[in-house]
Amino acid sequence: MKKIAVLTSGGDSPGMNAAIRSVVRKSIYEGYEVYGVYQGFQGLINDNIEKLELGDVGDIIQRGGTKLFSARCPEFIEAGVRQKGLENLKKYGIDSLVVIGGDGSYRGAQRLNEEGINTIGVPGTIDNDINGTDFTIGFDTALNTVVDAVDRIRDTATSHERTFIIEVMGRDAGDLALWAGLAGGAETILIPEAAADIKAVAERIETGMNRGKKHSIIIVAEGVMSAQECGMELRKYINVDTRESVLGHMQRGGKPTGNDRVLASRLGALAVDLLKDGVSGCAVGIENNKLVETKFDKIFDEKHQIDRALYKLSQELSI
Ligand code: ADP
């Protein structure tokens, strides 16, 4: 009988639980045994592994975070350390592994695949920064969290006639800032994929003020600079009263949206289907609403890109 293990690794994201549930239920549906590895790759080397049954993933589809916990395990880059994990899997007779996480976790998954475990990656991160999928699990939920925060800040920005600078997560990627800025009607969106011209931003704010505009909202991706730095840079050019908000880890939490739950359910089940068909060494994703799989090598080959048309639109609508 096939034995599949599942783990979550790296930064957590809302919808990881729905993905775990899908992997577990689909595996059991197919007649396989399924095991949960707690604390990501750390749990793999520490033998923190447990057989899961249908009931173990009951009542988690609506919960943020991850039932299996997550961890960073820097020493997993060492072959000798990974060997311990491989031995633990062998001990249970596990031949297949589903890794839910970001591209760092995919690298660990790729190594394990090369070392003899059939491995599939499932994209779980709020950053939406992984190639091989249009959307990652957790992005939609985080987007809605940020938009809600922007709406609230807009209310107070209007009342007090101030410029608000909101710092959004995303590591080196600007997807979350771009989508949230577009959905929240921000005047300025600063993302790592487009050079930040603070002088031009300052001039635009000034022109707006002269035109009678009472407030302005700037969304800055953490990969560009901090909200604090952005405020200091702006004040080099104009005399403006700014307030900075760093949304921080609240962006990672909360119950997943319907979209994230459906995406997680589809991708988790696809991972099991691929393992059933003898496919491994790749990650699952969704492109143009079609489920796809992409070899890890191809995923690492190119840098993740933002949707340029969306960025152009955000600029056209914020004049
Ligand atoms: P994310 O998966 O969210 O991108 P990280 O980049 O922190 O998060 O990666 C998660 C974990 O994946 C790391 O803590 C490490 O255990 C493992 N990992 C990352 N890069 C490699 C690598 N080159 N080789 C083996 N394991 C890796």
Side-chain angles (χ1 to χ4, degrees):
M1 182 197 280
K2 202 170 189 57
K3 294 189 182 184
I4 297 178
V6 56
L7 61 79
T8 49
S9 165
D12 64 315
S13 71
M16 278 185 161
N17 274 326
I20 295 166
R21 173 182 178 272
S22 175
V23 171
V24 170
R25 296 249 164 124
K26 176 74 169 164
S27 297
I28 294 174
Y29 173 84
E30 296 293 346
Y32 303 148
E33 270 186 19
V34 59
Y35 291 76
V37 180
Y38 291 84
Q39 285 133 0
F41 294 130
Q42 190 65 54
L44 201 59
I45 56 182
N46 290 348
D47 192 10
N48 205 346
I49 301 171
E50 198 176 76
K51 188 161 180 275
L52 297 175
E53 306 295 347
L54 289 175
D56 290 321
V57 290
D59 208 19
I60 65 167
I61 195 167
Q62 79 283 16
R63 296 209 191 130
T66 158
K67 177 194 162 71
L68 292 176
F69 305 106
S70 192
R72 311 248 187 219
C73 177
E75 62 271 31
F76 207 68
I77 53 170
E78 292 164 34
V81 173
R82 287 197 303 277
Q83 188 55 36
K84 187 90 196 63
L86 290 164
E87 281 163 19
N88 285 332
L89 290 173
K90 258 189 214 126
K91 199 166 77 183
Y92 296 88
I94 296 167
D95 52 48
S96 305
L97 176 69
V98 177
V99 172
I100 306 168
D103 61 350
S105 302
Y106 280 10
R107 290 186 188 274
Q110 185 189 36
R111 292 280 97 83
L112 291 174
N113 191 70
E114 290 160 358
E115 286 155 357
I117 294 290
N118 303 316
T119 309
I120 300 284
V122 175
T125 165
I126 65 163
D127 301 337
N128 209 44
D129 61 347
I130 309 183
N131 287 330
T133 191
D134 293 340
F135 297 106
T136 57
I137 298 163
F139 175 67
D140 187 59
T141 307
L143 169 63
N144 282 291
T145 303
V146 176
V147 171
D148 183 55
V150 173
D151 289 348
R152 287 164 194 263
I153 288 170
R154 179 184 287 283
D155 289 344
T156 168
T158 313
S159 310
H160 289 281
E161 308 187 4
R162 278 178 186 140
T163 292
F164 270 80
I165 305 170
I166 306 170
E167 183 185 320
V168 169
M169 276 184 169
R171 295 208 291 193
D172 300 328
D175 282 57
L176 193 52
L178 172 58
W179 283 65
L182 187 58
E187 277 73 17
T188 303
I189 302 170
L190 299 172
I191 54 173
E193 294 87 348
D197 184 349
I198 300 291
K199 188 162 178 265
V201 172
E203 281 166 3
R204 258 177 3 118
I205 291 175
E206 200 158 44
T207 310
M209 279 154 85
N210 292 340
R211 214 172 66 202
K213 213 168 158 57
K214 302 279 187 224
H215 66 269
S216 182
I217 290 185
I218 299 172
I219 306 263
V220 58
E222 66 179 353
V224 176
M225 65 180 96
S226 71
Q228 216 71 37
E229 285 168 326
C230 185
M232 285 187 318
E233 287 294 315
L234 266 182
R235 283 190 296 276
K236 283 185 189 167
Y237 302 103
I238 46 168
N239 181 17
V240 64
D241 190 16
T242 62
R243 290 290 180 276
E244 289 81 19
S245 284
V246 181
L247 301 186
H249 280 78
M250 66 179 279
Q251 295 164 92
R252 288 249 191 100
K255 61 182 194 151
T257 59
N259 269 332
D260 270 332
R261 297 181 204 190
V262 171
L263 180 63
S265 301
R266 293 174 82 183
L267 296 184
L270 176 62
V272 177
D273 268 336
L274 292 175
L275 291 169
K276 183 182 165 193
D277 293 343
V279 179
S280 71
C282 60
V284 293
I286 190 161
E287 285 178 349
N288 303 318
N289 204 27
K290 294 249 175 345
L291 298 181
V292 293
E293 74 262 13
T294 310
K295 284 277 169 204
F296 284 134
D297 284 339
K298 189 149 184 272
I299 285 177
F300 303 140
D301 239 16
E302 290 160 26
K303 198 174 157 13
H304 168 77
Q305 299 290 337
I306 52 149
D307 183 338
R308 289 277 153 199
L310 211 58
Y311 183 65
K312 185 166 173 280
L313 178 66
S314 75
Q315 294 202 304
E316 287 169 356
L317 300 188
S318 63
I319 47 171

